[in-house]
Amino acid sequence: MPTTPARAFPEDFLWGTATAAYQVEGAAAEDGRGPSIWDTFSHTPGRVDHGDTGDVACDHYHRLEEDLGILARLGVGAYRFSISWPRVLPGGGDRLNRRGLDFYSRLVDGLLERGVAPVATLYHWDLPQELEDAGGWPHRDTALRFAEYAHRMGKALGDRVHTWITLNEPWCSAYLGYASGVHAPGRTDPAGALAAVHHLNLGHGLAVQALRATAAPPARVAVTLNLHHVRGVSERDAEAVRRVDALANRAFLGPMLDGAYPPDLIEATASVTDWSFVHDSDEATACQALDLLGVNYYSPVLVRARDGETADGPASPWIACGDVEFVRQPGPYTEMGWSIDETGLTELLLRLHGDHPSLPLMITENGAAFADVLDGDGRVRDERRVDYLRRHLTAVADAIDAGADVRGYFVWSLMDNFEWAHGYAKRFGIVYVDRETLDRTWKDSAHWYRDVVATGTVPDPS
Ligand code: FCB
């Protein structure tokens, strides 16, 4: 008896997988690539677990053909990758590094030959080190440099790349990079982090303009945000929810989609900054018409008002949230310690659709890390990942049924890779990468996902 298809997705739903340059490419000092803040950070003792770096990563740079073959056999309609800014414009200046650009050109051509649509992210956290030395994202000039980079990429690849993502998760770039310091460049400066928020928003708007001016129509331009689905423990915690929502979500959604920072964000952070880095027309510049909103979702957030003393440590990403307590949620958990709760995804998608009904949504990342083992028979039995993906895809189907306009879904990640401050210890791939040989092995989840893509349906678990 064939399994009953549990949920069928729309015919034109885009199925994909995602990676990011620093996490997979390796070849860190090859063919004229300049250093990024992640090279510096990962080479600084104590910053990344086990001293791991992205020097070699998955060696995707040299194994491009093999990885293209995996994508073709998965049958995905799209592949989301990121361009390494310092590989194409070393130093962040305007000298184009042909050899670096050639790599992306070959990647894009290889995808198109296999019927896979390239989805290019311009910034997945690897700022050229020289731009950080000049002030980084807290510095306005970085946004202008980013726009020039977008312009160059639109011209170079915009004849073949039709879906562009400006930034990946600016929340992480700003707050983890400049407030808590657990990501590169590792600074702990809350005022600088809020300036970074603004210059990322501004850079996004300028990059959208640059892509519209250079990429061949019909280019679709998007941004990817890790929107937090924030819940309160009780109704008394509504103010805590609002505060975290302002910092995590509306700090980006406000300027990018509505052309203004939320007044409650400005007010809540007044003791940290006066926001004088926001110039007159900046919010209008940040607010460019988008074709899609990319949503990365892993887990919801639970908060409550803190009783008694506030606890605003200097190294928290949650600026001016000292009176908010982040509550550990009930399990089960992934290997990251993140609770598995797909209902947050449905609710988040419906909220976004309610707030911006004409803006199509795309899940640009969703997935889970587990302690996968390559068994003696060459199989990786990652049934927990299959369950996670099935649950979350069902949650997407629920949102679509309830009216949300969701156009696609990208699994994070195509393969196990460099998981930032956790190094290689956390495996998110549907393809297993052996850390010694770098051999690729399809996990059970990759076989499962191939069938989902082929049928456009998420099968019943039975
Ligand atoms: C996201 C990042 C991605 C990956 C996943 C697990 O925040 O965009 O690079 O690290 O988390």
Side-chain angles (χ1 to χ4, degrees):
M1 282 281 286
T3 0
T4 326
R7 301 305 279 268
F9 280 72
E11 191 82 352
D12 56 356
F13 194 78
L14 195 59
W15 298 97
T17 62
T19 62
Y22 190 72
Q23 295 181 275
V24 297
E25 284 178 5
E30 241 167 280
D31 290 343
R33 178 185 178 278
S36 83
I37 54 175
W38 270 97
D39 294 288
T40 309
F41 190 78
S42 66
H43 279 270
T44 307
R47 292 300 207 171
V48 175
D49 292 352
H50 316 293
D52 290 345
T53 75
D55 288 2
V56 176
C58 305
D59 203 26
H60 173 65
Y61 192 80
H62 297 116
R63 295 174 190 237
L64 181 58
E65 286 300 311
E66 181 182 356
D67 293 339
L68 285 168
I70 294 173
L71 288 164
R73 277 187 288 129
L74 276 170
V76 287
Y79 175 56
R80 176 176 178 240
F81 61 94
S82 80
I83 300 171
S84 159
W85 187 351
R87 193 182 289 290
V88 291
L89 294 174
D94 51 17
R95 188 185 59 79
L96 190 68
N97 176 29
R98 279 271 150 219
R99 287 177 297 166
L101 180 63
D102 278 355
F103 170 73
Y104 297 106
S105 212
R106 283 189 287 122
L107 167 60
V108 166
D109 289 344
L111 290 169
L112 292 172
E113 279 161 22
R114 291 163 178 83
V116 181
V119 174
T121 302
L122 286 175
Y123 188 70
H124 203 126
W125 307 352
D126 43 0
L127 186 70
Q129 180 60 44
E130 293 81 352
L131 295 188
E132 170 58 22
D133 296 341
W137 284 108
H139 186 54
R140 188 176 178 89
D141 191 53
T142 302
L144 310 182
R145 296 298 186 89
F146 182 61
E148 283 166 28
Y149 160 53
H151 190 93
R152 300 296 287 265
M153 291 306 103
K155 272 180 108 164
L157 300 170
D159 55 337
R160 289 159 288 159
V161 175
H162 300 303
T163 306
W164 292 89
I165 295 170
T166 54
L167 304 172
N168 176 72
E169 302 192 356
W171 183 92
C172 295
S173 304
Y175 300 125
L176 301 184
Y178 294 95
S180 68
V182 302
H183 276 189
R187 288 206 242 160
T188 50
D189 166 16
L194 293 172
V197 165
H198 178 59
H199 297 132
L200 285 155
N201 284 324
L202 178 63
H204 155 79
L206 293 168
V208 176
Q209 291 177 337
L211 290 168
R212 297 252 186 254
T214 50
R220 298 197 295 179
V221 184
V223 64
T224 280
L225 303 176
N226 55 324
L227 295 164
H228 292 57
H229 187 64
V230 193
R231 294 170 174 148
V233 171
S234 78
E235 280 175 13
R236 281 180 294 122
D237 304 309
E239 173 51 29
V241 170
R242 199 167 80 108
R243 185 90 56 75
V244 171
D245 182 58
L247 204 63
N249 301 327
R250 289 180 288 116
F252 303 99
L253 292 171
M256 287 182 183
L257 300 185
D258 299 323
Y261 283 100
D264 60 319
L265 171 71
I266 308 285
E267 201 183 304
T269 55
S271 63
V272 179
T273 179
D274 61 5
W275 291 80
S276 55
F277 42 75
V278 181
H279 297 187
D280 271 354
S281 56
D282 285 2
E283 287 155 296
T285 304
C287 184
Q288 300 294 319
L290 297 178
D291 303 293
L292 291 166
L293 176 63
V295 177
N296 290 357
Y297 177 88
Y298 291 92
S299 188
V301 177
L302 185 63
V303 299
R304 71 170 157 233
R306 189 184 287 280
D307 292 329
E309 296 270 290
T310 63
D312 207 2
S316 167
W318 298 107
I319 298 165
C321 288
D323 52 356
V324 175
E325 188 184 343
F326 290 80
V327 180
R328 183 159 167 85
Q329 306 181 63
Y333 305 101
T334 69
E335 196 64 14
M336 298 293 281
W338 299 344
S339 76
I340 301 174
D341 181 352
E342 66 280 6
T343 62
L345 178 55
T346 310
E347 290 169 23
L348 176 64
L349 292 170
L350 289 174
R351 166 197 172 177
L352 291 168
H353 180 67
D355 290 349
H356 304 279
S358 58
L359 182 58
L361 306 169
M362 186 127 96
I363 312 300
T364 41
E365 284 180 27
N366 175 242
F370 290 109
D372 301 314
V373 179
L374 180 60
D375 288 339
D377 62 357
R379 250 179 85 181
V380 180
R381 294 170 167 79
D382 60 338
E383 59 280 333
R384 297 186 66 195
R385 182 172 293 100
V386 170
D387 183 60
Y388 180 99
L389 297 177
R390 187 182 54 73
R391 284 172 185 280
H392 286 76
L393 279 167
T394 303
V396 175
D398 286 345
I400 294 175
D401 287 352
D405 183 6
V406 187
R407 303 288 176 92
Y409 175 94
F410 291 70
V411 174
W412 184 271
S413 176
L414 171 63
M415 57 186 138
D416 296 335
N417 58 46
F418 177 80
E419 179 46 36
W420 308 114
H422 299 283
Y424 297 99
K426 305 291 184 223
R427 294 180 174 274
F428 272 92
I430 56 173
V431 170
Y432 183 92
V433 178
D434 182 296
R435 284 314 312 158
E436 296 299 316
T437 62
L438 301 180
D439 286 348
R440 278 84 159 129
T441 304
W442 286 42
K443 300 181 190 177
D444 283 0
S445 58
H447 294 284
W448 179 86
Y449 192 57
R450 181 197 53 203
D451 291 347
V452 168
V453 172
T455 58
T457 60
V458 174
D460 194 275
S462 59

